[in-house]
Amino acid sequence: SSLKYPETFSTENREVYLIGEAFFEITRDSLRPFLIHTGNVTTRVVGTSFNIHTADNRVIVSVASGTVQVSDGTREAFVGPYEKITYQQNTFSKEFTDLSELAWNDRTLKFDDSSLETVIEKLQEHYEVKILLKNEALKKCTLTGTFTNKPLRAVLEAIEFSLGISVETEN
């Protein structure tokens, strides 16, 4: 992830630019809102805790506490606690969340009846590796588990055991 910010915030607002993913806990300051620019989307915050994830031309904002305003310059939406909003292809979609998107902040990977396809995506992001699935039919298999501060090999061994498959590693 990359976060660009000034040496000193202006007297009007606190403004940053994000590429990737970051968790924020913003101190309340009604006179100087906190603005996070992620591509075409700006998230406006007064005081709250939330996660922003950018990848594959989409922005996902998940709110743990407080409320944030998300805008693409044309439309805006408000997101409250236990909600997340996804911006993709000039469209916002909002839904409730169990905040599992925030677990990475505590070095935790949490999967709750998640498809193997989703698990692989999260593992690739978290461990910065490439995972190839030789049998496409396995994508639909589901997994439930929590891994706190575990090495990739330990997670892969748990998946092997749970699904009765074998994992091969290179390099």
Side-chain angles (χ1 to χ4, degrees):
S1 296
S2 168
L3 185 68
K4 180 180 166 185
Y5 56 91
E7 278 189 40
T8 307
F9 288 122
S10 77
T11 56
E12 297 168 7
N13 62 43
R14 301 167 288 168
E15 195 167 17
V16 300
Y17 296 82
L18 172 68
I19 298 171
E21 183 169 17
F23 181 82
F24 295 88
E25 289 185 47
I26 306 302
T27 302
R28 183 169 183 76
D29 185 342
S30 59
L31 299 177
R32 294 186 324 149
F34 197 87
L35 304 172
I36 302 124
H37 301 283
T38 48
N40 293 335
V41 175
T42 299
T43 303
R44 185 179 199 276
V45 183
V46 175
T48 187
S49 60
F50 60 99
N51 190 76
I52 297 181
H53 181 104
T54 63
D56 303 325
N57 295 320
R58 71 179 179 203
V59 177
I60 302 169
V61 178
S62 304
V63 178
S65 65
T67 302
V68 300
Q69 175 189 11
V70 181
S71 170
D72 67 354
T74 311
R75 294 168 298 282
E76 65 182 35
F78 290 89
V79 188
Y82 296 94
E83 291 181 330
K84 76 175 177 180
I85 194 162
T86 302
Y87 177 82
Q88 188 169 20
Q89 297 176 337
N90 298 322
T91 303
F92 286 111
S93 62
K94 188 160 82 168
E95 59 188 302
F96 287 103
T97 181
D98 63 1
L99 299 182
S100 60
E101 290 92 352
L102 308 182
W104 70 270
N105 194 38
D106 296 325
R107 298 184 144 320
T108 299
L109 290 169
K110 183 177 180 183
F111 306 110
D112 187 20
D113 206 25
S114 302
S115 70
L116 183 57
E117 183 175 30
T118 299
V119 171
I120 287 173
E121 288 173 9
K122 292 291 184 189
L123 293 177
Q124 289 182 137
E125 287 177 15
H126 189 79
Y127 293 101
E128 297 180 351
V129 296
K130 179 73 175 160
I131 299 175
L132 302 174
L133 191 58
K134 288 185 180 178
N135 183 347
E136 293 290 314
L138 292 174
K139 283 184 176 182
K140 302 280 187 235
C141 292
T142 59
L143 293 165
T144 297
T146 302
F147 303 93
T148 302
N149 215 14
K150 297 289 183 194
L152 175 61
R153 186 70 219 153
V155 177
L156 293 175
E157 286 173 0
I159 293 171
E160 278 182 305
F161 179 78
S162 297
L163 297 179
I165 61 174
S166 63
V167 174
E168 299 173 11
T169 58
E170 292 181 13
N171 300 329

